[in-house]
Amino acid sequence: MDRDERERIAAKRLLSVLGRHGAAIARTLEQKISDAGPFNQRIDPHILIPVRNDLVKMGLIQKIRAHGRDWFALPDIPPQILHDRIEEQAQVLHLTTDNRFMHRLGDALEIAVFRALRSSGLNSLGGFRGLADAPTIGPQKKEEPPSIFGAKELSGNRRFDFLVGTKLWAGIECKNIREWLYPDRPEIKQMLLKAVELDIPPILIGRRIPFVTRRLLQAAGGLVWEIRSQLYPTEYGNIAAQISHKDSLGFFDIRVTDYPDDKLLDFITRIIPAELPEATNRFQQFKDLFDPYARGHMPYHVFAAKIRRRENGTDEDRDDHDQPENPYDHQS
């Protein structure tokens, strides 16, 4: 499917979803269009967002600022219905904004990963003290991995979520967030900096990791696992039900658990030990590109081009005059 066709589908689905939903935040539109629907009708956010913005400029979609967020709706929606739909969803969204919830949300995936690590043959640094076999309720005591590892040291207050390995080690980064983890996001750049500073390959575990991120990281020595769900701790099951309802925010992929599913367990117990030696070799070949890119000294399209060309054994330093209009298109 070419770009024009994807843009056509994106526009059609945006108008259709808003026609049914009334008003929606960006994350709801992504959930209903990028994550859901027939396989050949799913449009990744790097296409969806520019099309949405173009429709706003054309007046075919209106953007409303309310409750500290942008909401999107069709221009002909009756004002009272628009107001009611925003208020209904904003009340649910507000339940997720307190610090305690955000901390526990981060806990849920990290605890699931830690449970899997305890079942693996890997050594690990970092974890939860006194973790019970039962689902957790309330804040858990996390012991972070060290910032000094071997002869290497992390700058600032940065840490990986876990350090894992036997003779060879890697750093695990867990991201239990709604946003798709594109390679130019701050979370990815910070992970790459940590990998360079400790001189170990990174392992990224997140809800949605687009092809372009998987392609680049795996080529350059990273390991990647997409869990395709967001984990909620047990005590927030009621909030999860409200958020996941199709007429609310529609986040249908929420799972109320802090246990790994079989696929995540397999990734940690089998795939990481099997692939870590090769990942370490590739990381050593590509790590010199991570630091300038992560610090903003190398543009994304140059970073991606150098990885592709080095992988293919071609001249990585030639000028790139054919940069695509959308920098992700060549990898989509």
Side-chain angles (χ1 to χ4, degrees):
M1 187 187 307
D2 62 23
R3 180 183 173 83
D4 288 343
E5 178 65 9
R6 285 182 290 167
E7 289 179 344
R8 185 192 67 78
I9 293 172
K12 180 179 178 181
R13 294 203 66 196
L14 281 163
L15 298 175
S16 175
V17 167
L18 289 174
R20 295 191 304 270
H21 204 73
I25 59 173
R27 298 288 88 81
T28 295
L29 293 174
E30 290 172 12
Q31 183 78 87
K32 291 179 175 292
I33 299 173
S34 303
D35 292 282
F39 180 77
N40 63 351
Q41 298 287 301
R42 297 176 193 167
I43 305 299
D44 284 1
H46 72 275
I47 296 292
L48 184 70
I49 292 171
V51 170
R52 184 202 68 201
N53 293 343
D54 286 344
L55 292 177
V56 170
K57 291 177 182 178
M58 295 165 61
L60 297 176
I61 290 176
Q62 61 172 315
K63 181 168 71 173
I64 307 98
R65 189 72 179 176
H67 299 282
R69 292 177 180 266
D70 289 332
W71 300 77
F72 301 91
L74 298 183
D76 59 353
I77 184 173
Q80 188 60 51
I81 294 178
L82 174 62
H83 174 269
D84 291 347
R85 288 298 291 138
I86 290 177
E87 293 304 311
E88 291 165 4
Q89 295 174 78
Q91 288 180 17
V92 176
L93 193 60
H94 181 70
L95 299 175
T96 69
T97 58
D98 70 276
N99 290 334
R100 185 178 185 275
F101 172 83
M102 297 302 295
H103 182 77
R104 288 288 288 140
L105 193 65
D107 276 356
L109 179 55
E110 290 184 25
I111 290 172
V113 169
F114 183 59
R115 293 187 192 279
L117 286 170
R118 295 197 303 187
S119 301
S120 73
L122 294 166
N123 298 316
S124 63
L125 298 173
F128 293 85
R129 284 189 174 274
L131 185 66
D133 290 335
T136 63
I137 297 177
Q140 303 298 302
K141 184 175 177 57
K142 171 80 182 295
E143 183 171 305
E144 300 295 341
S147 62
I148 300 175
F149 186 65
K152 304 296 182 178
E153 180 177 346
L154 289 171
S155 60
N157 194 34
R158 294 198 296 269
R159 299 286 193 282
F160 276 110
D161 292 317
F162 304 96
L163 299 177
V164 298
T166 50
K167 293 181 180 180
L168 300 172
W169 287 75
I172 293 181
E173 195 81 358
C174 303
K175 295 300 176 188
N176 194 28
I177 61 177
R178 299 304 311 173
E179 293 85 353
W180 287 45
L181 289 164
Y182 279 95
D184 58 353
R185 285 192 60 86
E187 296 91 342
I188 301 298
K189 292 185 176 182
Q190 286 298 311
M191 180 186 72
L192 296 180
L193 280 177
K194 288 183 280 192
V196 170
E197 289 181 347
L198 290 188
D199 199 22
I200 55 176
I203 300 173
L204 177 63
I205 300 174
R207 186 189 77 89
R208 291 293 299 197
I209 304 171
F211 173 80
V212 60
T213 305
R214 297 195 303 271
R215 174 70 180 83
L216 291 176
L217 289 182
Q218 289 169 345
L223 296 177
V224 177
W225 193 255
E226 183 182 66
I227 59 175
R228 291 183 172 266
S229 58
Q230 188 176 33
L231 306 190
Y232 270 41
T234 302
E235 67 265 35
Y236 291 102
N238 182 55
I239 293 179
Q242 296 178 65
I243 291 174
S244 61
H245 193 281
K246 65 181 180 64
D247 293 326
S248 181
L249 300 179
F251 297 166
F252 62 83
D253 64 347
I254 292 173
R255 293 194 298 121
V256 181
T257 185
D258 58 11
Y259 289 84
D261 62 14
D262 290 343
K263 292 180 180 180
L264 178 57
L265 187 64
D266 182 64
F267 173 68
I268 290 173
T269 61
R270 182 183 63 84
I271 295 177
I272 290 178
E275 296 190 2
L276 187 54
E278 175 59 23
T280 301
N281 289 336
R282 297 186 73 83
F283 173 73
Q284 293 300 323
Q285 297 171 31
F286 288 88
K287 65 182 182 180
D288 61 296
L289 302 177
F290 288 180
D291 187 84
Y293 170 64
R295 295 185 187 278
H297 304 315
M298 180 186 293
Y300 166 74
H301 76 279
V302 174
F303 173 70
K306 284 180 177 291
I307 288 179
R308 293 196 315 275
R309 292 169 186 157
R310 185 177 297 184
E311 183 184 27
N312 295 331
T314 57
D315 180 9
E316 67 185 68
D317 293 319
R318 69 177 176 84
D319 290 336
D320 190 359
H321 296 299
D322 56 348
Q323 178 189 357
E325 179 182 343
N326 188 309
Y328 302 126
D329 273 358
H330 65 275
Q331 293 280 2
S332 298

